[in-house]
Amino acid sequence: MGTTEHDVVIAGGGPTGLVLAAELALAGTDVAVVERRTGHEPVGSRAKGFNARTIELLDQRGVAGRFLAEAHTHAVVPFGTARLDLGDLPSRHPYVVGIPQERVERLLGAWAADLSVPVLRGIEVTDFAQDATGVDVRLSDGRMLRAGWLVGCDGGRSLVRKEAGIAFPGRDATRSTLIAEGVAMAEEPPVGLRHDAAGVHGIVPAGDGTFSVVVTERAVGPGTEPTPEDLRSALAAAFGTDFGAGGPAWISRFTDATRQAAASRAGRVLIAGDAAHVHYPVGGQGLGLGVQDAVNLGWKLAAVAAGHAPEGLLDTYDAERRPAVARVLRHTMAMGTMQRRDGHMDALVETVSELAALPDARRLLTGLASGLDVRYDLGEGHPLLGRRMPDLDLETADGPVRAFALLHDARPVLLHLGVPGRLGVAGWSDRVRLVDARHDGAWELPVLGAVAAPDAVLIRPDGHVAWVGDGPAAGLEDALARWFGPPAGE
């Protein structure tokens, strides 16, 4: 059996792996995805949606409408006993998006198919060996793939991470939670959420005579697949009765373990999504973190694979995503802790909830919950530097255009708002698009509010601002070379 070659092989076809594959394909990279499942989860899924920045990232690629057509949106999110209104966030998407992960995967799979990405289903990576020029990847069906790079998007128990020797430090689980769909009950259960010393429990009608159930177990459950009896036992412990619950159509167990990989790369092997970090799934952050990983990594890996940029560019993936993810992990740990209620914790939750209503605290928390406040440390300078580019309404010689529409092809953009012709991208025109445009008024940023409009911004393919100019082009060529490689001819 021969060896098939690709620029990049991705282990794992969940949301992170599929978004990464699409990002690479947009950049012209030869990428293949290996996924052990034969299809998407047919009934249930742990992730039920994602935050504002995630839908913005999909909007940057022109596919947000596919997801919004099958989703519902919520402009209010809970924090303790407070409810945080996202409606005034400076975004076209000031809400969280409610959509099951299996639908997300189906839609992402269709996008990847549109981009001609091969997804090898029913197969998994079983081993690999890397050398100075690439990685030999062994599959469960006996086939071998040769790739320039291997990316593990294969979940919290990632084989790729383990085989690459990347440590996974963090906090062990203190409890586990069962989530089940399609649960028939002989007795009418109380509908809604309740809290106790173990954590949160919830029962919601599924609309077909069955219920969706979330129930926290009194101790950390085993690592084996949960059973209907596990669900009945957990219900009885939480509610005093199991309501005559029958076998669910789908059931899963997760814990509050919080871990972050000690590194995101080992030679020609990288990791992203749950393979790089796991946390208690509260606040709808998990799927979004993986998508942000993929969009941050994709254009960098594509540039390195194509020879446009040195391997050192990949070091910025870890440098940027590590602190951003760590901040969210602290947030989910805090939110998970506040789900446990007794007399002492009730007092803390009430106090924190009162503080959350203060204007400055609310702006900070909504920026974090939405994912819109992420700033990568690109040095000192304008407040926009390192932050996501706002989706401005721009006027160009060709007519009106949204800023996000300029990023649909995942190509960097030098957006020039000054006198046309003053700035250029000579030497990088094969990689960077120059757009002369006009926009009136200040720019609104999450948490910070209005900031003075610059004359020009260099926007990376992930939508983050890499350089800000106010008149002169000082530093522009350095920024172009830093992020997009040396100019043509060098």
Side-chain angles (χ1 to χ4, degrees):
M1 189 176 293
T3 298
T4 304
E5 296 189 4
H6 299 281
D7 293 334
V8 178
V9 168
I10 298 171
T16 303
L18 290 171
V19 171
L20 178 58
E23 292 289 299
L24 290 164
L26 284 168
T29 305
D30 177 8
V31 56
V33 178
V34 179
E35 168 54 46
R36 63 176 178 81
R37 296 170 299 165
T38 56
H40 309 301
E41 295 291 348
V43 178
S45 53
R46 298 180 188 181
K48 300 298 182 183
F50 46 77
N51 60 19
R53 182 54 183 156
T54 306
I55 195 65
E56 279 197 350
L57 291 171
L58 295 168
D59 203 357
Q60 286 177 187
R61 299 298 181 254
V63 296
R66 304 186 188 189
F67 297 84
L68 293 174
E70 297 196 25
H72 52 275
T73 60
H74 307 277
V76 177
V77 296
F79 182 80
T81 60
R83 295 177 66 78
L84 303 176
D85 188 351
L86 308 178
D88 60 352
L89 285 169
S91 169
R92 294 184 193 273
H93 306 287
Y95 42 70
V96 294
V97 178
I99 180 172
Q101 183 171 322
E102 58 92 8
R103 291 190 197 173
V104 173
E105 290 188 10
R106 174 170 50 79
L107 293 168
L108 289 175
W111 182 32
D114 292 345
L115 296 170
S116 301
V117 174
V119 179
L120 309 179
R121 294 194 173 275
I123 302 168
E124 58 188 317
V125 172
T126 59
D127 194 14
F128 60 86
Q130 61 174 309
D131 54 41
T133 61
V135 188
D136 292 312
V137 183
R138 185 178 300 279
L139 305 183
S140 56
D141 64 355
R143 278 186 287 176
M144 293 291 295
L145 302 179
R146 174 70 177 178
W149 302 87
L150 171 65
V151 185
C153 300
D154 50 343
R157 299 176 181 176
S158 170
L159 177 141
V160 172
R161 183 191 66 240
K162 294 173 183 176
E163 292 299 313
I166 299 174
F168 204 37
R171 297 181 179 273
D172 292 336
T174 64
R175 58 178 165 159
S176 57
T177 300
L178 296 174
I179 181 169
E181 304 280 358
V183 183
M185 295 189 177
E187 306 170 24
E188 190 68 23
V191 171
L193 296 179
R194 60 172 292 184
H195 297 264
D196 60 21
V200 65
H201 317 288
I203 301 176
V204 179
D208 57 358
T210 67
F211 297 86
S212 299
V213 175
V214 174
V215 59
T216 302
E217 297 177 286
R218 300 288 171 174
V220 179
T224 55
E225 290 296 318
T227 66
E229 185 54 42
D230 290 334
L231 178 63
R232 285 189 284 269
S233 296
L235 283 169
F239 293 92
T241 175
D242 63 10
F243 305 107
W250 178 88
I251 185 171
S252 184
R253 174 185 277 123
F254 58 85
T255 76
D256 63 347
T258 301
R259 298 185 179 279
Q260 185 171 20
S264 302
R265 176 187 171 201
R268 289 182 167 269
V269 178
L270 301 106
I271 54 175
D274 287 354
H277 39 76
V278 295
H279 61 91
Y280 185 59
V282 60
Q285 296 282 357
L287 192 151
L289 285 180
V291 171
Q292 289 178 54
D293 285 353
V295 176
N296 183 286
L297 175 60
W299 65 274
K300 298 173 181 177
L301 185 55
V304 172
H308 294 317
E311 285 188 23
L313 180 61
L314 296 177
D315 295 336
T316 67
Y317 166 57
D318 186 85
E320 292 175 358
R321 290 304 299 155
R322 175 174 300 281
V325 169
R327 184 165 179 255
V328 173
L329 297 190
R330 290 193 297 271
H331 182 63
T332 57
M333 286 178 67
M335 292 185 69
T337 300
M338 288 195 296
Q339 287 183 347
R340 293 177 166 176
R341 301 289 175 80
D342 57 23
H344 294 285
M345 184 56 70
D346 286 344
L348 176 62
V349 169
E350 290 298 331
T351 300
V352 171
S353 299
E354 289 178 8
L355 294 174
L358 298 176
D360 286 348
R362 188 183 73 84
R363 281 193 293 271
L364 185 148
L365 289 170
T366 55
L368 180 58
S370 65
L372 297 175
D373 69 339
V374 173
R375 177 187 179 274
Y376 299 136
D377 185 5
L378 306 188
E380 299 297 323
H382 193 282
L384 277 165
L385 189 64
R387 297 184 186 276
R388 116 285 188 224
M389 176 68 190
D391 188 19
L392 305 177
D393 288 309
L394 304 169
E395 289 292 335
T396 72
D398 296 324
V401 64
R402 292 170 48 199
F404 281 7
L406 302 177
L407 298 169
H408 282 183
D409 60 359
R411 185 180 179 187
V413 174
L414 177 59
L415 177 61
H416 184 213
L417 301 166
V419 177
R422 180 175 293 175
L423 295 181
V425 291
W428 289 272
S429 59
D430 60 328
R431 283 156 278 168
V432 181
R433 178 184 178 189
L434 172 64
V435 177
D436 288 305
R438 187 178 73 255
H439 175 78
D440 298 323
W443 295 18
E444 290 286 333
L445 297 181
V447 183
L448 297 183
V451 299
D455 284 342
V457 288
L458 179 61
I459 311 169
R460 305 188 323 187
D462 59 1
H464 284 259
V465 175
W467 173 84
V468 182
D470 286 309
L476 175 57
E477 289 192 355
D478 288 342
L480 287 165
R482 176 187 180 187
W483 296 109
F484 312 118
E490 289 191 10

